[in-house]
């Protein structure tokens, strides 16, 4: 797979100090944050969508989180973005936030959080396939090709449990939406690496979050979500989940992710892609009482192994470009 090589832009990014010092304990704490926090976002989404409209809630929290990141970047001296950069951020936000996150929240009304995380973990697989299908795309080989094949097998194994769900056809449809969501997230990740975005990673990410969140609002209204909720009856657990997603999941974890890209090896930071679904499955089983069957465990092993192979086999890791990052899965 080809990728955009890191750009030497430290002197052009006011919010990105050059090679900051960090102790082993600080780095370990940073990894714990992106592993556990992003792994737990799927469970938080499950609690939120029990009482709140999924798409409108996604829009509100991303507008909040994206706005905070933009304000912080401007406060640190990032220049005002050009209109072309706003256009790129809007398209990327549509793919990543509307197509890749709001759809996940909608599907979690039916699909358990652990299964959702495993379907979302296939994003690196779709990145490889989409880059292969692109004009003059490079065919995957070696470990990457083995990872793609293993991931497809894991996906086929994983989708079988939906046939036993009490929700029946709705669960199958929601699973299909989650597969589409992973494809759209992969497309948005690739798009955001090849278009004009601000040199400041914080500002570029904040713009994508904010514009994607704004686009969720008309989408939620078109779905009639504004008529399906009684705010007065929303339990405290749902509000806590939304606050966790917006503040801890988006702001704390993502700023930690950017910091790790500066003080650690990007290929190690990319390991969150196969640790997060394991955390999500365990939390869904331990906290929410979600089913954990032998078939799920086999599928989880296949998908996680596939992501490891794909990530290890890439000459330049596509998840974790320190100079031009997209929103990681699941940066919500």
């Amino acid at each position: 797979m080809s990728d955009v090589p890191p750009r030497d832009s430290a002197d052009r990014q006011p919010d990105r100090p050059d090679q900051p010092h960090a102790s082993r304990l600080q780095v370990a704490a940073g990894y714990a944050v992106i592993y556990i926090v992003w792994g737990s976002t799927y469970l938080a989404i499950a609690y939120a969508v029990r009482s709140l409209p999924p798409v409108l809630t996604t829009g509100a929290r991303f507008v909040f989180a994206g706005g905070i990141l933009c304000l912080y970047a401007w406060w640190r001296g990032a220049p005002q973005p050009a209109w072309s950069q706003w256009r790129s951020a809007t398209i990327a936000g549509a793919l990543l936030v509307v197509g890749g996150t709001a759809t996940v929240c909608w599907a979690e009304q039916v699909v358990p959080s652990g299964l959702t995380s495993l379907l979302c973990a296939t994003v690196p697989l779709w990145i490889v396939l989409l880059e292969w299908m692109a004009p003059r795309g490079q065919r995957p080989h070696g470990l990457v090709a083995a990872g793609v094949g293993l991931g497809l097998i894991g996906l086929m194994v994983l989708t079988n449990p939906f046939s036993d769900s009490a929700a029946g056809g709705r669960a199958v449809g929601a699973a299909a939406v989650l597969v589409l969501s992973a494809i759209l997230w992969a497309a948005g990740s690739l798009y955001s690496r090849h278009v004009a975005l601000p040199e400041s990673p914080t500002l570029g990410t904040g713009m994508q979050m904010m514009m994607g969140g704004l686009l969720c609002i008309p989408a939620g209204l078109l779905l009639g979500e504004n008529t399906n909720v009684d705010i007065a009856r929303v339990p405290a657990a749902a509000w806590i989940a939304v606050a966790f997603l917006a503040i801890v999941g988006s702001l704390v974890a993502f700023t930690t992710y950017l910091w790790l890209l500066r003080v650690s090896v990007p290929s190690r930071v990319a390991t969150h892609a196969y640790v997060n679904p394991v955390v999500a499955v365990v939390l869904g089983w331990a906290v929410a009482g979600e089913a954990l069957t032998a078939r799920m465990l086999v599928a989880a092993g296949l998908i996680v192994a596939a992501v490891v192979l794909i990530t290890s086999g890439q000459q330049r890791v596509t998840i974790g470009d320190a100079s031009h990052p997209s929103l990681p899965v699941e940066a919500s």
Side-chain angles (χ1 to χ4, degrees), residues 17-294:
D18 187 22
Q19 296 181 340
H21 172 74
S23 67
R24 289 185 178 181
L25 182 60
Q26 289 174 318
V27 172
Y31 277 103
V33 168
I34 65 171
Y35 285 172
I36 297 173
V37 170
W38 277 339
S40 64
T41 55
Y42 296 95
L43 182 61
I45 289 171
Y47 278 102
V49 300
R50 290 177 183 175
S51 309
L52 291 167
V55 178
L56 288 177
T57 302
T58 300
R61 62 187 176 90
F62 271 98
V63 169
F64 169 78
I68 293 295
L69 288 177
C70 288
L71 290 174
Y72 175 76
W74 287 324
W75 176 68
R76 293 296 302 269
Q80 290 293 328
W83 282 112
S84 60
Q85 294 173 329
W86 279 111
R87 182 177 63 249
S88 297
T90 300
I91 296 172
L95 291 168
L96 293 166
V97 178
V98 183
T101 301
T103 50
V104 169
C105 296
W106 178 88
E108 277 207 49
Q109 295 176 109
V110 178
V111 182
S113 63
L115 287 173
T116 298
S117 70
L118 291 174
L119 288 169
C120 292
T122 61
V123 166
L125 181 156
W126 300 116
I127 288 178
V128 172
L129 294 177
L130 288 176
E131 285 209 319
W132 182 16
M133 292 186 294
R136 297 185 299 276
Q138 181 177 345
R139 185 176 65 180
H141 55 83
L143 292 177
V144 175
V148 170
L150 196 60
L152 290 173
I153 294 172
L155 186 59
M156 289 187 289
V157 172
L158 182 63
T159 52
N160 265 342
F162 293 101
S163 62
D164 301 326
S165 171
R170 283 192 68 203
V172 174
V177 169
L178 286 170
V179 174
L180 176 62
S181 172
I183 295 172
L184 291 175
W185 190 286
S189 297
L190 292 173
Y191 174 83
S192 67
R193 294 190 182 102
H194 296 277
V195 295
L197 286 171
E199 290 293 327
S200 162
T202 303
L203 179 58
T205 300
M207 289 166 59
Q208 293 173 69
M209 285 185 176
M210 186 168 61
M211 298 310 296
L214 289 173
L215 290 174
C216 284
I217 296 174
L221 295 177
L222 287 174
L223 291 173
E225 289 189 347
N226 56 311
T227 63
N228 298 330
V229 61
D230 184 355
I231 296 296
R233 296 189 177 184
V234 175
W239 294 119
I240 293 172
V242 172
F244 174 84
L245 290 166
I247 298 173
V248 182
S250 294
L251 295 177
V252 174
F254 192 78
T255 52
T256 302
Y257 166 78
L258 290 179
W259 175 78
L260 282 173
L261 289 176
R262 299 197 302 267
V263 301
S264 186
V265 180
S267 59
R268 292 179 186 170
V269 181
T271 57
H272 78 83
Y274 45 87
V275 175
N276 293 158
V278 175
V279 172
V281 169
V282 172
L283 286 177
W285 167 73
V287 177
E290 296 176 356
L292 187 58
T293 65

